[in-house]
Amino acid sequence: MSLLLFTAPAFILYTIFLLIPTIGGMYYSFTDWNGLNPDYDFIGLANFTEALREDPDFMNSLWFTLKYVLFMIFLQNGIALLLAVLIESRTKSKGLFRTIFFMPNMISTIISAFMWTFVFSQVLPQLAERFAITFLNQSWLGDPQYSFYSILTVSLWNGVGYMMIIYLAALQGVPQSLKEAAIIDGASPLQTLRSVVLPMITHAVTICFFLTLNGAFKVFEVVYGLTGGGPGRATQVITMNIYEEAFSNNFRYGYASAKSVILFVIVLIFTLIQITVMKKREVEA
């Protein structure tokens, strides 16, 4: 009974601010409610049919989000793991480097986006002009060819440090004796990493992949702050499309709720697949 009383405040807050709105959103996804008028009609699966068959903007935002998720999963975890290995291999200044690479994560994502907007629009053109580096003088936020990579750069800058800390914690749990035994047996540093270290930290890889996957699907602030989904709708992610449908232009709350349910199902499927695959690798390791 005491344990139930201890967890009751958290459960009540979870129910009020997450569980009830989630159930309400699922219900409204089957209606034509505009979010303002108390009257609405139950329309069944019409919202889902429209989103999947008749809304090219939604489908484009979905494909753009999937592209972003794919890049983030491999780049963020690859860079974070590389930094963790390099920092862990140092005998001095580990704390300094941990702090330096983690600091961007302490800055709000929207603030980071505004900072980098200044870098892309003001700093890089000045550097290109002063040092004759013509590649830097691009429309990083206004050209669809480069805007995706601008978003990716800011997301990685802001998020790699957090994953790095998780990998560092896992690396510190690998017994030094195992690595020394591998070196004595003639293994190179790369072979030691692949055959000894990585199998020992598969649990951390699972966690980091899970966090990256969920965060990438729900990305909003960095895109909103950098490009606003533009130019046109070239960089509009699925969360921005839902936001626009519900609050910005159309006020089709029921339709936006249906899109949210679709996003929830997609994230759930990808998460279950990722966890299942990674857990099997943990068992094999």
Side-chain angles (χ1 to χ4, degrees), residues 245-279:
E245 202 71 57
F247 305 111
S248 182
N249 297 325
N250 301 326
F251 294 101
R252 299 181 64 189
Y253 193 90
Y255 186 43
S257 297
K259 291 182 176 181
S260 299
V261 172
I262 293 172
L263 175 60
F264 169 76
V265 172
I266 292 173
V267 174
L268 180 63
I269 292 172
F270 274 85
T271 301
L272 290 176
I273 293 173
Q274 179 258 321
I275 291 178
T276 302
V277 172
M278 298 300 291
K279 285 295 183 181

Side-chain angles (χ1 to χ4, degrees), residues 13 40 68 82 88 123 139 171 177 242 260 262 266 273:
L13 291 175
Y40 54 85
Y68 173 84
L82 177 61
E88 182 62 23
V123 177
S139 180
L171 288 172
S177 58
I242 294 171
S260 299
I262 293 172
I266 292 173
I273 293 173

Side-chain angles (χ1 to χ4, degrees), residues 169-183:
L171 288 172
Q172 290 172 359
V174 178
Q176 186 66 27
S177 58
L178 291 179
K179 293 186 284 187
E180 292 174 351
I183 294 173

Side-chain angles (χ1 to χ4, degrees), residues 135-204:
F135 173 73
L136 295 179
N137 192 16
Q138 308 289 343
S139 180
W140 294 102
L141 303 179
D143 188 337
Q145 182 179 355
Y146 299 105
S147 53
F148 171 75
Y149 298 104
S150 301
I151 294 170
L152 204 60
T153 298
V154 179
S155 298
L156 291 171
W157 180 81
N158 195 257
V160 160
Y162 186 78
M163 302 301 164
M164 179 198 70
I165 294 297
I166 297 176
Y167 283 124
L168 273 171
L171 288 172
Q172 290 172 359
V174 178
Q176 186 66 27
S177 58
L178 291 179
K179 293 186 284 187
E180 292 174 351
I183 294 173
I184 293 173
D185 289 339
S188 66
L190 185 59
Q191 290 173 326
T192 303
L193 175 64
R194 184 179 69 249
S195 302
V196 178
V197 176
L198 286 180
M200 295 288 292
I201 63 169
T202 48
H203 60 286

